[in-house]
Amino acid sequence: MLQKVWVSSPGSWALQESNSHRQGKKRCWKCRFVRTIIQHPCRRHAPKRSRKERMLRKIQICLCFCFVSGILYEISLLSSCVFSYLPMAQQYLTPEQVLNLGKSIIFLETTERLEPPPLVSCSVESAARIYQDRPIILFMRGLTNETALDMNTSYAAFSLLSSMKNVFLFPLQMETIFQETPLLQWYNQVVPEQEKNWVHVSSDASRLALIWKYGGIYMDTDVISIRPIPQESFLAAQKSRFSSNGIFGFPARHKFIWDCMENFVLKYNGNIWGNQGPFLMTRMLKTLCNLTDFQGTEDHSCQNISFLNPQRFYPIPYPAWSRYYQVWDKSPSFNHSYALHLWNFMNRNRKVVVAGSNTLAEKLYKTYCPTTYEDLIQNAKRTDLPGPEEVE
C-alpha cells in the first residue's frame, strides 16, 4: 500500500492515508525524518532486502558521498571567500586563476633572490592574517616555472610562506604582465642593464599593470599590515600634497591607473629615482585634484579617489625611519593606521630585528607576524648560539 509522506518534525514521519481509510485507523507509526515530500512504501510492509542488496546500497551511498565531497572541494579552490584547501594544491593554480578571484593583495620582489628576508616574510604574513578572505600574492623575479621549490625547500622563509593557506608565490613575468597595456612598448625598448634604477623602475611598472588588469591592493614588501583598509580606490599620502606609490588600491580597469601607465611611458626617465613612482602618482593626482594640507587625521577625497592621511601608513615619516629599530619607553598605539611602512629603502646600514632587543620593530613582528618572528628571528638566534664544546 502506497502512502504519502511529508515532513512533520525532526525524528518522525507523519503518514497520511486516503480519505476512504481515515475512519477507524490509528496513525501512530514512527519513522525517520526526511527532507522532501516523497511517495514510498511503508517500511513495515516492505519486503526485506537481501544482504547483497543492502551491501550494494551502502556502496552507492559511499560513492555519492565521495562525488559530492569532490565537487565541494573543487568549488572551494576557486572561491573568493574561502581558502580551505591544502597548501600543496596551490602549485596547480595559475596567477590568472588566483588574480581573477578579485581583491588580491599583491607584493613584488624584483631582485633575483629566492630567500625572502624576514621583513618581506613579515609583510606577507601580516597581510595574510589581516586579510584572511583574500588571496595574498608574492611575485618573485627569481622564481621561474622550472624552479623546484616547495614546502620542503631549504629556504626557510619560502617554506614558511608556502604553508600559509591564502598565500601564493608566483614567478614575475613582466612581458606577460605588460600585455594589453601602454607599458609593453616601453618594456620592449628599454635595456635593463643600462638602467640605473631598474629594480625600482620595473617594480613601479609591474604594480601599475597588475592593479589595472586585476584590481586589488598593492603593498611594498616593507609594509606591515595591522588592520583592514576600508577603501577600495585610494592613494596613500606620504605627506601633505605628496603621494606614495608604496601602497595603493583600485578596482580593475580603473581609468586613473591607465592614465598613470600612459604618463609612465610619456615622461619616462629612469635616471631620476621615483620619477615613475611617487612623483608619477603625485603629478597624476594633481591633474584631478586641488591638493591641500591635511588637518588632523582626516582623509581627502577627489574624483571618487580617497587620498588617505599620512597617519594611515606613515605615522613615522622617512627622516625618522630608524625609530622603528629603537627601544621606546612607551610604544605608540597606531590607532589611526592601517599599516606601517618601515622605509627599508632608507635602511642602508641594514638594521634588523633581533630577538630580545625590545625595539619597536621587534614588538610589531611579535604581534603581526608571529610565525616569521619565531621561525626566522628566534630560531636564527638559537642557531647562532655556540654549542657547549665552543664555550671556553
Side-chain angles (χ1 to χ4, degrees):
M1 180 176 66
L2 297 181
Q3 304 184 28
K4 290 190 177 180
V5 183
W6 73 89
V7 176
S8 59
S9 62
S12 68
W13 273 355
L15 304 178
Q16 177 65 49
E17 298 179 312
S18 62
N19 291 334
S20 60
H21 295 285
R22 285 183 184 177
Q23 300 286 335
K25 295 276 188 177
K26 288 184 70 175
R27 285 171 269 164
C28 60
W29 297 351
K30 300 271 186 174
C31 300
R32 294 181 181 177
F33 172 67
V34 294
R35 293 182 182 276
T36 56
I37 299 176
I38 60 174
Q39 212 169 25
H40 194 281
C42 177
R43 287 176 178 263
R44 180 178 295 182
H45 298 289
K48 189 174 182 180
R49 293 173 178 167
S50 67
R51 183 176 181 181
K52 184 177 181 180
E53 289 176 328
R54 292 198 301 271
M55 182 62 69
L56 289 174
R57 182 64 174 170
K58 290 180 180 179
I59 292 174
Q60 289 175 340
I61 293 173
C62 290
L63 290 175
C64 288
F65 176 78
C66 292
F67 176 77
V68 172
S69 298
I71 294 296
L72 293 175
Y73 178 78
E74 291 295 328
I75 291 174
S76 72
L77 288 179
L78 298 178
S79 170
S80 61
C81 298
V82 181
F83 296 94
S84 57
Y85 40 75
L86 295 175
M88 290 303 292
Q90 297 176 4
Q91 62 183 300
Y92 301 110
L93 296 175
T94 66
E96 289 74 20
Q97 287 175 318
V98 178
L99 287 163
N100 283 331
L101 296 175
K103 296 188 176 181
S104 299
I105 311 295
I106 297 173
F107 295 89
L108 297 173
E109 176 58 75
T110 50
T111 70
E112 295 290 334
R113 65 187 175 192
L114 283 173
E115 173 66 345
L119 182 53
V120 174
S121 178
C122 183
S123 297
V124 176
E125 180 188 345
S126 65
R129 290 177 178 274
I130 295 298
Y131 303 95
Q132 296 185 23
D133 60 340
R134 301 174 72 162
I136 313 300
I137 306 175
L138 173 59
F139 285 97
M140 302 179 71
R141 181 66 176 169
L143 187 64
T144 67
N145 291 329
E146 291 74 33
T147 307
L149 291 174
D150 55 30
M151 292 174 61
N152 297 319
T153 179
S154 59
Y155 294 116
F158 196 101
S159 179
L160 184 156
L161 296 176
S162 297
S163 68
M164 297 181 184
K165 65 179 182 179
N166 60 332
V167 172
F168 298 83
L169 307 178
F170 289 128
L172 177 60
Q173 299 172 330
M174 294 185 189
E175 187 172 357
T176 301
I177 290 172
F178 296 146
Q179 294 291 332
E180 302 177 0
T181 76
L183 297 169
L184 182 61
Q185 182 179 1
W186 161 80
Y187 181 72
N188 289 334
Q189 294 175 349
V190 73
V191 181
E193 294 76 15
Q194 298 178 3
E195 292 292 321
K196 179 181 177 181
N197 298 299
W198 178 247
V199 169
H200 302 288
V201 169
S202 59
S203 178
D204 292 334
S206 298
R207 69 190 70 176
L208 289 173
L210 285 166
I211 294 300
W212 182 78
K213 280 187 171 183
Y214 303 104
I217 295 175
Y218 167 80
M219 293 185 184
D220 276 350
T221 53
D222 57 350
V223 172
I224 298 178
S225 298
I226 62 177
R227 58 178 57 89
I229 302 169
Q231 289 83 357
E232 183 179 18
S233 300
F234 71 90
L235 293 172
Q238 184 173 314
K239 59 182 180 179
S240 289
R241 310 187 190 205
F242 189 80
S243 177
S244 161
N245 77 327
I247 179 167
F248 61 93
F250 285 90
R253 310 282 167 161
H254 196 284
K255 185 179 184 301
F256 179 80
I257 300 298
W258 180 268
D259 292 342
C260 285
M261 291 189 292
E262 288 187 328
N263 191 272
F264 182 106
V265 177
L266 181 65
K267 296 191 176 182
Y268 180 74
N269 187 338
N271 292 322
I272 302 176
W273 186 91
N275 187 62
Q276 274 62 52
F279 291 105
L280 167 66
M281 291 295 200
T282 301
R283 63 177 176 261
M284 294 306 297
L285 186 60
K286 286 181 177 179
T287 64
L288 299 177
C289 313
N290 180 23
L291 301 182
T292 59
D293 292 339
F294 287 95
Q295 303 295 330
T297 58
E298 86 288 355
D299 299 319
H300 292 172
S301 180
C302 178
Q303 302 285 328
N304 295 322
I305 299 174
S306 296
F307 190 39
L308 301 185
N309 194 286
Q311 288 294 316
R312 305 294 179 228
F313 307 104
Y314 304 101
I316 296 179
Y318 77 89
W321 68 271
S322 62
R323 297 202 67 191
Y324 280 114
Y325 298 93
Q326 296 174 2
V327 178
W328 292 53
D329 293 334
K330 182 180 179 181
S331 298
S333 63
F334 299 118
N335 287 335
H336 300 293
S337 302
Y338 302 135
L340 304 173
H341 195 290
L342 267 63
W343 303 106
N344 195 53
F345 178 73
M346 303 292 295
N347 189 3
R348 295 180 178 88
N349 293 328
R350 294 292 174 253
K351 293 181 181 292
V352 296
V353 171
V354 178
S357 60
N358 204 34
T359 61
L360 177 58
E362 184 192 16
K363 292 181 179 179
L364 294 174
Y365 274 50
K366 286 182 176 180
T367 303
Y368 301 107
C369 55
T371 304
T372 295
Y373 179 76
E374 180 178 353
D375 289 3
L376 304 186
I377 305 299
Q378 285 186 320
N379 285 352
K381 183 177 181 180
R382 296 190 192 105
T383 303
D384 293 339
L385 290 175
E389 69 281 359
E390 298 175 272
V391 179
E392 295 182 357

